[in-house]
Amino acid sequence: MASTINQISSINWITVLIAGTLVFSIIQGMIRGASSSARHLALMAAEGAAIVVGIVLSWWLSSWVSPYVQGWLVELNIVIPTKDLGLFEQFYYTVVTSVRDFPLLRLGVLFIIGYAVIKQIIYRMINPFFGHWGTDKFQGESRHASTKRPGMISSVMGGIIGTFSGLGRSLLIVAALFIYTTFLPQTEITPYIQASTLYQEGATAVIKPVAGDFLTNQLPVFTRKFEAEVNNILQRKYDVLDAQIPPGIAEAAKEVTLKGTTDEEKAKLLYKWIGTRVTYDWDKVNLYEQKKIWKEQTPEETYATRKGVCIDYSRLYAVMARSIGLEVKVVTGLGYDGRGGYGPHAWNEVYLNDSSKWVPLDSTWVSSGGNWFNPPNFNQTHIREV
């Protein structure tokens, strides 16, 4: 029993998936026979061509129209209202302002819309050539024909055609896995994928020569831009949620920073005040860890109760900082737990006009000691979320 389990655990299931796709296509081709397999292969080829043409045209069209869409949205002069917003309003302002301000998101949205429209147009254009294959009449004939087993020659030819279909499907799987491992080389599953012999052969023999150095050189650059934009979109969510600044919090922020003469001094005064006035809410943590109940709270609630967790510290800091004219972000990611690992965490970044740069700070960790306002080792203990 133990040896059987060991043998199963030693199987690379990526190899099984690729090989299984090929074998399934061959068997499917043999069952269908030559003529039905040929029709299926032709349909696959036509759909593949439609997809490729749709992607190319959609990419060109979205790249061309993106600046015009941005200009139109800028002219609308959409401003996030400083009032309590409902769920629909939060969604609206988050999406519209993000599409306006973030080029990769805007390009992605336009690409998806363009691809959906263009693909339908292409299908309608090729429908006169292939549409009759999907009609009820043909389907009825196919079901009637399927009751008759194809002859030996027809089955062999169907199997050969099925082999070509299976190779195409398998290469699509390899291509998708190759893009995944190039995008996310640090994930745990990446070495497992790369250990598959069939994946290695497909990637080495076909994908890499076709793609050249584009995927390995250009995708990491794109990934870094994508990561930065995802963080900006997450930040926009909190901008919308906390757009309203309660008068009491604004007055408190003004009083706390009264002695500050520069952006840095004001940012530090707020950092120390929140870090020493707000206490960490372990009951909230235990409620989530033990019962999976998350208690969402606004910056106003954090200010009133003087209790919260890292995201509450960060949102309160952001609201207070904005009320005195500072530009600030809420950043989510992982924080060092002091035991050799990392756990979910949130902190802030504030822009200092004095030095024209963004600096990180963590008001949650003030009570633990040490300097967490732009220390030199901040990135070693805080990892931004993607």
Coordinates of all heavy atoms in Angstrom, one line a residue, residues 67-151:
P67 N -5.9 56.5 -25.6 CA -5.8 57.9 -25.2 C -7.0 58.7 -25.4 O -7.2 59.7 -24.6 CB -4.7 58.4 -26.3 CG -4.0 57.1 -26.7 CD -5.1 56.1 -26.7
Y68 N -7.9 58.4 -26.4 CA -9.1 59.1 -26.6 C -10.1 58.9 -25.4 O -10.8 59.8 -25.0 CB -9.8 58.7 -27.9 CG -8.9 59.1 -29.1 CD1 -8.2 58.1 -29.7 CD2 -8.9 60.4 -29.6 CE1 -7.4 58.5 -30.8 CE2 -8.1 60.7 -30.7 CZ -7.4 59.8 -31.3 OH -6.6 60.1 -32.4
V69 N -10.1 57.6 -24.9 CA -11.0 57.3 -23.8 C -10.5 58.1 -22.5 O -11.3 58.6 -21.8 CB -11.0 55.8 -23.5 CG1 -11.8 55.5 -22.2 CG2 -11.7 55.1 -24.7
Q70 N -9.2 58.1 -22.3 CA -8.7 58.8 -21.2 C -9.0 60.3 -21.3 O -9.4 60.9 -20.3 CB -7.1 58.6 -21.1 CG -6.5 59.3 -19.9 CD -5.0 59.4 -19.9 OE1 -4.4 59.4 -21.0 NE2 -4.4 59.4 -18.8
G71 N -8.8 60.9 -22.5 CA -9.1 62.3 -22.6 C -10.6 62.6 -22.4 O -10.9 63.6 -21.7
W72 N -11.5 61.7 -22.8 CA -12.9 61.9 -22.6 C -13.2 61.8 -21.1 O -14.0 62.6 -20.6 CB -13.7 60.8 -23.4 CG -15.1 60.8 -23.1 CD1 -16.1 61.8 -23.3 CD2 -15.9 59.7 -22.4 NE1 -17.3 61.4 -22.9 CE2 -17.2 60.1 -22.4 CE3 -15.5 58.5 -21.9 CZ2 -18.2 59.3 -21.8 CZ3 -16.5 57.7 -21.4 CH2 -17.8 58.1 -21.3
L73 N -12.6 60.8 -20.4 CA -12.9 60.7 -19.0 C -12.3 61.9 -18.2 O -12.9 62.3 -17.2 CB -12.3 59.4 -18.4 CG -13.0 58.1 -18.9 CD1 -12.2 56.9 -18.4 CD2 -14.4 58.1 -18.4
V74 N -11.2 62.4 -18.6 CA -10.6 63.6 -18.0 C -11.5 64.8 -18.1 O -11.7 65.6 -17.2 CB -9.2 63.9 -18.5 CG1 -8.7 65.3 -18.1 CG2 -8.2 62.8 -18.1
E75 N -12.1 65.0 -19.3 CA -13.0 66.1 -19.6 C -14.3 66.0 -18.7 O -14.9 67.0 -18.4 CB -13.4 66.1 -21.1 CG -12.3 66.5 -22.0 CD -12.7 66.5 -23.5 OE1 -13.9 66.2 -23.7 OE2 -11.9 66.9 -24.3
L76 N -14.7 64.8 -18.4 CA -15.8 64.6 -17.5 C -15.6 65.2 -16.1 O -16.5 65.5 -15.3 CB -16.3 63.2 -17.4 CG -16.8 62.5 -18.7 CD1 -17.1 61.0 -18.4 CD2 -18.1 63.2 -19.1
N77 N -14.3 65.3 -15.8 CA -13.9 65.9 -14.5 C -14.6 65.2 -13.3 O -15.2 65.8 -12.4 CB -14.2 67.4 -14.4 CG -13.5 68.2 -13.3 OD1 -12.5 67.7 -12.8 ND2 -14.1 69.2 -12.8
I78 N -14.4 63.9 -13.2 CA -15.1 63.1 -12.2 C -14.2 63.2 -10.9 O -13.0 62.9 -10.9 CB -15.2 61.6 -12.6 CG1 -16.0 61.5 -13.9 CG2 -15.7 60.8 -11.5 CD1 -16.0 60.1 -14.5
V79 N -14.8 63.7 -9.8 CA -14.2 63.8 -8.6 C -14.9 63.0 -7.5 O -16.1 62.9 -7.5 CB -14.2 65.3 -8.1 CG1 -13.5 65.5 -6.7 CG2 -13.5 66.2 -9.1
I80 N -14.1 62.2 -6.7 CA -14.7 61.4 -5.7 C -15.3 62.3 -4.6 O -14.6 63.1 -4.0 CB -13.6 60.5 -5.0 CG1 -13.0 59.6 -6.1 CG2 -14.2 59.6 -3.9 CD1 -11.7 58.8 -5.6
P81 N -16.6 62.2 -4.4 CA -17.3 63.0 -3.4 C -16.8 62.8 -2.0 O -16.5 61.6 -1.6 CB -18.8 62.7 -3.6 CG -18.9 61.9 -4.8 CD -17.6 61.2 -5.0
T82 N -16.7 63.8 -1.2 CA -16.3 63.7 0.2 C -17.6 63.5 1.0 O -18.0 64.4 1.9 CB -15.6 65.0 0.6 OG1 -16.4 66.1 0.4 CG2 -14.2 65.1 -0.1
K83 N -18.3 62.4 0.8 CA -19.5 62.1 1.6 C -19.5 60.6 1.7 O -18.7 59.8 1.1 CB -20.7 62.6 0.9 CG -21.0 61.9 -0.5 CD -22.3 62.3 -1.1 CE -22.6 61.5 -2.4 NZ -23.9 61.8 -3.0
D84 N -20.4 60.1 2.5 CA -20.6 58.7 2.7 C -21.2 58.1 1.5 O -22.3 58.5 1.0 CB -21.5 58.4 3.9 CG -21.6 56.9 4.3 OD1 -20.6 56.2 4.0 OD2 -22.6 56.5 4.9
L85 N -20.5 57.1 0.8 CA -21.0 56.6 -0.4 C -21.6 55.2 -0.3 O -21.1 54.4 0.5 CB -19.8 56.5 -1.4 CG -19.1 57.8 -1.7 CD1 -17.9 57.5 -2.6 CD2 -20.0 58.8 -2.4
G86 N -22.6 54.9 -1.0 CA -23.2 53.6 -1.1 C -22.3 52.6 -1.8 O -21.3 53.0 -2.5
L87 N -22.7 51.3 -1.8 CA -21.8 50.3 -2.5 C -21.7 50.5 -4.0 O -20.6 50.4 -4.6 CB -22.4 48.9 -2.2 CG -22.2 48.3 -0.8 CD1 -22.9 47.0 -0.7 CD2 -20.8 48.2 -0.5
F88 N -22.9 50.9 -4.6 CA -22.8 51.1 -6.1 C -22.0 52.4 -6.4 O -21.2 52.3 -7.3 CB -24.3 51.4 -6.6 CG -24.3 51.7 -8.0 CD1 -24.1 50.8 -9.0 CD2 -24.5 53.1 -8.4 CE1 -24.1 51.1 -10.4 CE2 -24.5 53.4 -9.8 CZ -24.3 52.4 -10.8
E89 N -22.1 53.4 -5.6 CA -21.3 54.6 -5.8 C -19.8 54.3 -5.6 O -19.0 54.8 -6.3 CB -21.7 55.7 -4.8 CG -23.1 56.3 -5.1 CD -23.5 57.3 -4.1 OE1 -23.5 57.0 -2.9 OE2 -23.9 58.4 -4.5
Q90 N -19.5 53.5 -4.6 CA -18.1 53.1 -4.3 C -17.5 52.4 -5.5 O -16.4 52.7 -6.0 CB -18.0 52.3 -3.1 CG -18.2 53.0 -1.8 CD -18.3 52.0 -0.6 OE1 -17.8 50.9 -0.7 NE2 -18.7 52.5 0.5
F91 N -18.3 51.4 -6.0 CA -17.9 50.7 -7.2 C -17.7 51.6 -8.4 O -16.7 51.5 -9.1 CB -18.9 49.6 -7.5 CG -18.6 48.8 -8.7 CD1 -17.7 47.8 -8.7 CD2 -19.3 49.0 -9.9 CE1 -17.4 47.0 -9.9 CE2 -19.0 48.3 -11.1 CZ -18.0 47.3 -11.0
Y92 N -18.6 52.5 -8.6 CA -18.6 53.4 -9.8 C -17.4 54.2 -9.8 O -16.6 54.3 -10.8 CB -19.9 54.2 -9.8 CG -19.8 55.3 -10.8 CD1 -20.0 55.1 -12.2 CD2 -19.5 56.7 -10.4 CE1 -19.9 56.1 -13.1 CE2 -19.5 57.7 -11.4 CZ -19.7 57.4 -12.7 OH -19.6 58.4 -13.6
Y93 N -17.1 54.9 -8.7 CA -16.0 55.8 -8.6 C -14.6 55.1 -8.6 O -13.7 55.6 -9.2 CB -16.1 56.7 -7.4 CG -17.1 57.8 -7.5 CD1 -18.4 57.8 -6.8 CD2 -16.9 58.9 -8.4 CE1 -19.3 58.7 -7.0 CE2 -17.9 59.9 -8.6 CZ -19.1 59.8 -7.9 OH -20.0 60.8 -8.0
T94 N -14.6 53.9 -8.0 CA -13.4 53.1 -8.1 C -13.0 52.7 -9.5 O -11.9 52.9 -10.0 CB -13.5 51.9 -7.2 OG1 -13.7 52.3 -5.9 CG2 -12.2 51.1 -7.2
V95 N -14.0 52.2 -10.2 CA -13.8 51.7 -11.6 C -13.5 52.8 -12.6 O -12.5 52.8 -13.3 CB -15.0 50.9 -12.1 CG1 -14.9 50.5 -13.6 CG2 -15.1 49.6 -11.3
V96 N -14.4 53.9 -12.6 CA -14.2 54.9 -13.5 C -12.9 55.7 -13.4 O -12.2 56.0 -14.3 CB -15.4 55.9 -13.4 CG1 -15.2 57.1 -14.3 CG2 -16.7 55.2 -13.9
T97 N -12.6 56.1 -12.1 CA -11.3 56.8 -11.9 C -10.1 55.9 -12.1 O -9.1 56.4 -12.6 CB -11.3 57.4 -10.5 OG1 -11.4 56.3 -9.5 CG2 -12.4 58.4 -10.3
S98 N -10.2 54.6 -11.9 CA -9.1 53.7 -12.1 C -8.9 53.6 -13.6 O -7.7 53.6 -14.1 CB -9.3 52.4 -11.5 OG -9.4 52.5 -10.1
V99 N -9.9 53.4 -14.4 CA -9.8 53.3 -15.8 C -9.2 54.6 -16.4 O -8.4 54.6 -17.3 CB -11.2 53.0 -16.5 CG1 -11.1 53.1 -18.0 CG2 -11.6 51.6 -16.1
R100 N -9.6 55.7 -15.8 CA -9.1 57.0 -16.3 C -7.6 57.2 -16.0 O -6.9 57.7 -16.9 CB -9.9 58.1 -15.6 CG -9.4 59.5 -16.0 CD -10.0 60.6 -15.1 NE -9.5 60.4 -13.7 CZ -10.1 60.9 -12.6 NH1 -11.1 61.7 -12.7 NH2 -9.6 60.7 -11.4
D101 N -7.2 56.8 -14.8 CA -5.8 57.1 -14.4 C -4.8 56.0 -14.6 O -3.6 56.3 -14.6 CB -5.9 57.4 -12.9 CG -6.8 58.6 -12.5 OD1 -7.0 59.4 -13.5 OD2 -7.2 58.7 -11.4
F102 N -5.2 54.7 -14.8 CA -4.2 53.7 -14.9 C -4.2 53.1 -16.3 O -5.2 52.4 -16.7 CB -4.6 52.6 -13.8 CG -4.7 53.1 -12.4 CD1 -5.7 52.7 -11.6 CD2 -3.8 54.1 -12.0 CE1 -5.8 53.3 -10.3 CE2 -3.9 54.6 -10.7 CZ -4.9 54.2 -9.8
P103 N -3.2 53.3 -17.0 CA -3.2 52.9 -18.5 C -3.3 51.4 -18.7 O -4.0 51.0 -19.7 CB -1.8 53.4 -19.0 CG -1.0 53.6 -17.7 CD -1.9 54.0 -16.6
L104 N -2.7 50.5 -17.9 CA -2.8 49.1 -18.1 C -4.2 48.6 -17.9 O -4.7 47.7 -18.7 CB -1.8 48.3 -17.3 CG -0.3 48.4 -17.6 CD1 0.5 47.5 -16.7 CD2 -0.1 47.9 -19.1
L105 N -4.8 49.1 -16.9 CA -6.2 48.7 -16.6 C -7.1 49.2 -17.7 O -8.0 48.4 -18.2 CB -6.7 49.3 -15.3 CG -8.2 49.1 -14.9 CD1 -8.5 47.6 -14.7 CD2 -8.6 49.9 -13.7
R106 N -6.9 50.4 -18.2 CA -7.7 51.0 -19.3 C -7.5 50.1 -20.5 O -8.5 49.8 -21.2 CB -7.4 52.4 -19.5 CG -8.2 53.1 -20.6 CD -8.0 54.6 -20.6 NE -6.6 54.9 -20.9 CZ -5.7 55.4 -20.0 NH1 -6.1 55.6 -18.8 NH2 -4.5 55.7 -20.3
L107 N -6.3 49.8 -20.8 CA -6.0 49.0 -22.0 C -6.7 47.6 -21.9 O -7.2 47.1 -22.9 CB -4.5 48.8 -22.2 CG -4.0 48.2 -23.5 CD1 -4.3 49.1 -24.7 CD2 -2.5 48.0 -23.4
G108 N -6.6 47.0 -20.7 CA -7.2 45.7 -20.5 C -8.7 45.7 -20.7 O -9.3 44.8 -21.3
V109 N -9.4 46.7 -20.1 CA -10.8 46.8 -20.3 C -11.2 47.0 -21.7 O -12.1 46.3 -22.2 CB -11.4 48.0 -19.4 CG1 -12.8 48.2 -19.7 CG2 -11.2 47.7 -17.9
L110 N -10.5 47.9 -22.4 CA -10.8 48.1 -23.8 C -10.5 46.9 -24.7 O -11.3 46.6 -25.6 CB -10.0 49.3 -24.3 CG -10.4 50.7 -23.8 CD1 -9.4 51.7 -24.2 CD2 -11.8 51.1 -24.2
F111 N -9.5 46.2 -24.3 CA -9.1 45.0 -25.1 C -10.2 43.9 -24.9 O -10.6 43.3 -25.9 CB -7.8 44.4 -24.6 CG -7.4 43.1 -25.2 CD1 -6.9 43.0 -26.5 CD2 -7.7 41.9 -24.5 CE1 -6.5 41.8 -27.0 CE2 -7.4 40.7 -25.1 CZ -6.8 40.6 -26.3
I112 N -10.7 43.7 -23.7 CA -11.8 42.7 -23.5 C -13.0 43.1 -24.3 O -13.6 42.2 -24.9 CB -12.1 42.6 -22.0 CG1 -10.9 42.0 -21.3 CG2 -13.3 41.7 -21.7 CD1 -11.0 42.0 -19.8
I113 N -13.4 44.3 -24.2 CA -14.6 44.8 -24.9 C -14.4 44.6 -26.4 O -15.3 44.1 -27.1 CB -15.0 46.2 -24.6 CG1 -15.3 46.4 -23.1 CG2 -16.1 46.8 -25.5 CD1 -15.5 47.8 -22.6
G114 N -13.3 45.1 -26.9 CA -13.0 45.0 -28.3 C -12.9 43.5 -28.8 O -13.4 43.2 -29.9
Y115 N -12.3 42.7 -28.0 CA -12.2 41.3 -28.4 C -13.5 40.6 -28.5 O -13.8 39.8 -29.4 CB -11.3 40.5 -27.4 CG -11.1 39.1 -27.7 CD1 -10.3 38.6 -28.8 CD2 -11.8 38.1 -27.0 CE1 -10.2 37.3 -29.1 CE2 -11.6 36.7 -27.3 CZ -10.8 36.3 -28.3 OH -10.7 35.0 -28.6
A116 N -14.4 40.9 -27.5 CA -15.8 40.3 -27.5 C -16.5 40.7 -28.8 O -17.2 39.9 -29.4 CB -16.5 40.7 -26.3
V117 N -16.4 42.0 -29.2 CA -17.1 42.5 -30.4 C -16.5 41.9 -31.7 O -17.2 41.4 -32.5 CB -17.1 44.0 -30.4 CG1 -17.7 44.5 -31.7 CG2 -17.9 44.6 -29.2
I118 N -15.2 42.0 -31.8 CA -14.5 41.6 -33.0 C -14.6 40.1 -33.2 O -14.8 39.7 -34.4 CB -13.0 42.0 -32.9 CG1 -12.9 43.5 -33.0 CG2 -12.2 41.3 -34.1 CD1 -11.5 44.1 -32.8
K119 N -14.6 39.3 -32.2 CA -14.7 37.9 -32.3 C -16.1 37.5 -32.9 O -16.2 36.6 -33.7 CB -14.4 37.2 -31.0 CG -14.3 35.7 -31.2 CD -13.9 35.0 -29.8 CE -13.8 33.5 -30.0 NZ -13.6 32.8 -28.7
Q120 N -17.1 38.2 -32.4 CA -18.4 37.9 -32.9 C -18.6 38.3 -34.4 O -19.2 37.6 -35.1 CB -19.5 38.7 -32.1 CG -19.7 38.2 -30.7 CD -20.2 36.7 -30.7 OE1 -21.1 36.4 -31.5 NE2 -19.6 35.9 -29.8
I121 N -17.9 39.4 -34.8 CA -18.0 39.8 -36.2 C -17.3 38.8 -37.0 O -17.8 38.4 -38.1 CB -17.3 41.2 -36.3 CG1 -18.1 42.3 -35.6 CG2 -17.1 41.6 -37.8 CD1 -17.5 43.6 -35.6
I122 N -16.1 38.3 -36.6 CA -15.4 37.3 -37.3 C -16.2 36.0 -37.5 O -16.3 35.4 -38.6 CB -14.0 37.0 -36.7 CG1 -13.1 38.2 -36.8 CG2 -13.3 35.8 -37.4 CD1 -11.8 38.1 -36.0
Y123 N -16.8 35.6 -36.4 CA -17.7 34.4 -36.5 C -18.8 34.5 -37.4 O -19.2 33.6 -38.2 CB -18.2 34.0 -35.1 CG -17.2 33.3 -34.2 CD1 -17.4 33.2 -32.8 CD2 -16.1 32.7 -34.7 CE1 -16.5 32.5 -32.0 CE2 -15.2 32.0 -34.0 CZ -15.4 31.9 -32.6 OH -14.5 31.3 -31.8
R124 N -19.4 35.7 -37.5 CA -20.5 35.9 -38.4 C -20.0 35.9 -39.9 O -20.7 35.5 -40.8 CB -21.2 37.3 -38.1 CG -22.0 37.2 -36.8 CD -22.7 38.5 -36.6 NE -23.5 38.5 -35.3 CZ -24.7 38.0 -35.2 NH1 -25.3 37.5 -36.3 NH2 -25.3 38.0 -34.0
M125 N -18.7 36.4 -40.1 CA -18.2 36.4 -41.4 C -17.9 35.0 -41.9 O -18.0 34.6 -43.1 CB -16.9 37.2 -41.4 CG -17.2 38.7 -41.3 SD -15.6 39.7 -41.1 CE -14.9 39.4 -42.7
I126 N -17.4 34.1 -41.0 CA -17.0 32.7 -41.4 C -18.2 31.8 -41.3 O -18.1 30.6 -41.7 CB -15.8 32.2 -40.6 CG1 -16.2 32.0 -39.1 CG2 -14.6 33.1 -40.8 CD1 -15.1 31.3 -38.3
N127 N -19.3 32.2 -40.7 CA -20.4 31.3 -40.5 C -21.0 30.7 -41.8 O -21.4 29.5 -41.8 CB -21.5 32.1 -39.7 CG -22.6 31.1 -39.3 OD1 -22.4 30.2 -38.6 ND2 -23.9 31.4 -39.7
P128 N -21.0 31.5 -42.9 CA -21.5 30.9 -44.1 C -20.7 29.6 -44.6 O -21.2 28.8 -45.3 CB -21.4 32.0 -45.2 CG -21.5 33.2 -44.3 CD -20.8 32.9 -43.1
F129 N -19.4 29.6 -44.2 CA -18.5 28.5 -44.6 C -18.6 27.3 -43.6 O -18.5 26.2 -44.0 CB -17.1 29.0 -44.7 CG -16.9 30.1 -45.7 CD1 -16.8 31.4 -45.2 CD2 -16.8 29.8 -47.0 CE1 -16.6 32.4 -46.1 CE2 -16.6 30.8 -47.9 CZ -16.5 32.2 -47.5
F130 N -18.8 27.6 -42.3 CA -18.7 26.5 -41.3 C -20.0 26.4 -40.5 O -20.2 25.5 -39.7 CB -17.6 26.8 -40.3 CG -16.2 26.7 -41.0 CD1 -15.6 27.9 -41.3 CD2 -15.6 25.5 -41.3 CE1 -14.3 27.9 -41.9 CE2 -14.4 25.5 -41.8 CZ -13.7 26.6 -42.1
G131 N -20.9 27.4 -40.7 CA -22.1 27.4 -39.8 C -23.0 26.2 -40.0 O -23.6 25.7 -39.0
H132 N -23.1 25.6 -41.2 CA -24.0 24.5 -41.4 C -23.5 23.2 -40.7 O -24.3 22.3 -40.5 CB -24.0 24.1 -42.9 CG -22.7 23.6 -43.5 ND1 -21.7 24.5 -43.8 CD2 -22.3 22.4 -43.8 CE1 -20.7 23.7 -44.3 NE2 -21.1 22.5 -44.3
W133 N -22.3 23.3 -40.2 CA -21.8 22.1 -39.4 C -22.4 22.1 -38.0 O -22.4 21.1 -37.3 CB -20.3 22.1 -39.3 CG -19.6 21.7 -40.6 CD1 -20.2 21.4 -41.7 CD2 -18.2 21.7 -40.8 NE1 -19.3 21.1 -42.7 CE2 -18.0 21.3 -42.1 CE3 -17.1 21.9 -40.0 CZ2 -16.8 21.1 -42.7 CZ3 -15.8 21.7 -40.6 CH2 -15.7 21.3 -41.9
G134 N -23.0 23.2 -37.6 CA -23.6 23.2 -36.3 C -25.1 23.3 -36.3 O -25.7 23.4 -35.3
T135 N -25.7 23.1 -37.5 CA -27.2 23.2 -37.6 C -27.8 21.9 -37.0 O -27.2 20.9 -36.9 CB -27.6 23.3 -39.1 OG1 -27.1 22.2 -39.8 CG2 -27.0 24.6 -39.7
D136 N -29.1 22.1 -36.7 CA -29.8 20.9 -36.2 C -29.8 19.7 -37.1 O -29.7 18.6 -36.7 CB -31.2 21.3 -35.9 CG -31.3 22.3 -34.7 OD1 -30.3 22.4 -33.9 OD2 -32.3 23.1 -34.7
K137 N -29.9 20.0 -38.5 CA -29.9 19.0 -39.4 C -28.6 18.2 -39.4 O -28.6 16.9 -39.3 CB -30.1 19.6 -40.8 CG -30.2 18.5 -42.0 CD -30.4 19.2 -43.3 CE -30.6 18.2 -44.4 NZ -29.4 17.4 -44.7
F138 N -27.5 18.9 -39.3 CA -26.2 18.2 -39.3 C -26.1 17.4 -38.0 O -25.6 16.3 -38.0 CB -25.1 19.2 -39.5 CG -23.7 18.5 -39.3 CD1 -23.2 17.7 -40.3 CD2 -23.0 18.7 -38.1 CE1 -21.9 17.1 -40.2 CE2 -21.8 18.1 -38.0 CZ -21.2 17.3 -39.0
Q139 N -26.5 18.1 -36.9 CA -26.4 17.4 -35.6 C -27.2 16.1 -35.6 O -26.8 15.1 -35.0 CB -26.8 18.4 -34.5 CG -25.8 19.5 -34.2 CD -26.3 20.5 -33.3 OE1 -27.4 20.4 -32.8 NE2 -25.5 21.5 -33.0
G140 N -28.4 16.2 -36.2 CA -29.2 15.0 -36.2 C -28.6 13.9 -37.1 O -28.6 12.8 -36.7
E141 N -27.9 14.3 -38.2 CA -27.2 13.4 -39.0 C -26.0 12.8 -38.2 O -25.7 11.6 -38.3 CB -26.7 14.0 -40.3 CG -27.9 14.4 -41.2 CD -27.4 15.2 -42.4 OE1 -26.2 15.5 -42.5 OE2 -28.2 15.5 -43.3
S142 N -25.3 13.6 -37.5 CA -24.2 13.1 -36.7 C -24.6 12.1 -35.7 O -23.9 11.1 -35.5 CB -23.5 14.3 -36.1 OG -22.9 15.2 -37.0
R143 N -25.7 12.4 -35.0 CA -26.2 11.5 -34.0 C -26.6 10.2 -34.6 O -26.4 9.1 -34.0 CB -27.4 12.1 -33.2 CG -26.9 13.2 -32.2 CD -28.1 13.6 -31.3 NE -29.2 14.2 -32.0 CZ -29.3 15.5 -32.1 NH1 -28.4 16.3 -31.6 NH2 -30.3 16.0 -32.8
H144 N -27.2 10.3 -35.8 CA -27.6 9.1 -36.5 C -26.4 8.3 -36.9 O -26.4 7.0 -36.8 CB -28.5 9.4 -37.7 CG -29.0 8.2 -38.4 ND1 -29.9 7.3 -38.0 CD2 -28.6 7.8 -39.7 CE1 -30.1 6.3 -38.8 NE2 -29.3 6.6 -39.9
A145 N -25.4 9.0 -37.4 CA -24.2 8.4 -37.9 C -23.4 7.8 -36.8 O -22.7 6.8 -37.0 CB -23.3 9.4 -38.7
S146 N -23.5 8.4 -35.6 CA -22.7 7.9 -34.5 C -23.1 6.5 -34.0 O -22.4 5.9 -33.3 CB -22.8 8.9 -33.3 OG -24.1 9.0 -32.8
T147 N -24.3 6.1 -34.4 CA -24.8 4.8 -34.0 C -24.1 3.7 -34.9 O -24.1 2.6 -34.5 CB -26.3 4.7 -34.2 OG1 -26.6 4.9 -35.6 CG2 -27.0 5.7 -33.3
K148 N -23.5 4.2 -36.0 CA -22.7 3.2 -36.8 C -21.2 3.4 -36.5 O -20.7 4.5 -36.5 CB -23.0 3.5 -38.3 CG -24.4 3.4 -38.7 CD -24.6 3.7 -40.2 CE -26.1 3.6 -40.6 NZ -26.2 4.0 -42.0
R149 N -20.6 2.3 -36.3 CA -19.1 2.3 -36.0 C -18.4 2.6 -37.3 O -18.7 1.9 -38.3 CB -18.7 1.0 -35.4 CG -19.3 0.8 -34.0 CD -18.7 -0.5 -33.4 NE -17.3 -0.4 -33.3 CZ -16.5 -1.5 -32.9 NH1 -17.1 -2.6 -32.6 NH2 -15.2 -1.3 -32.8
P150 N -17.4 3.5 -37.3 CA -16.6 3.7 -38.5 C -15.8 2.5 -38.9 O -15.4 1.7 -38.0 CB -15.8 4.9 -38.1 CG -15.7 4.9 -36.7 CD -17.0 4.4 -36.2
G151 N -15.5 2.4 -40.2 CA -14.7 1.3 -40.6 C -13.2 1.4 -40.1 O -12.8 2.4 -39.5

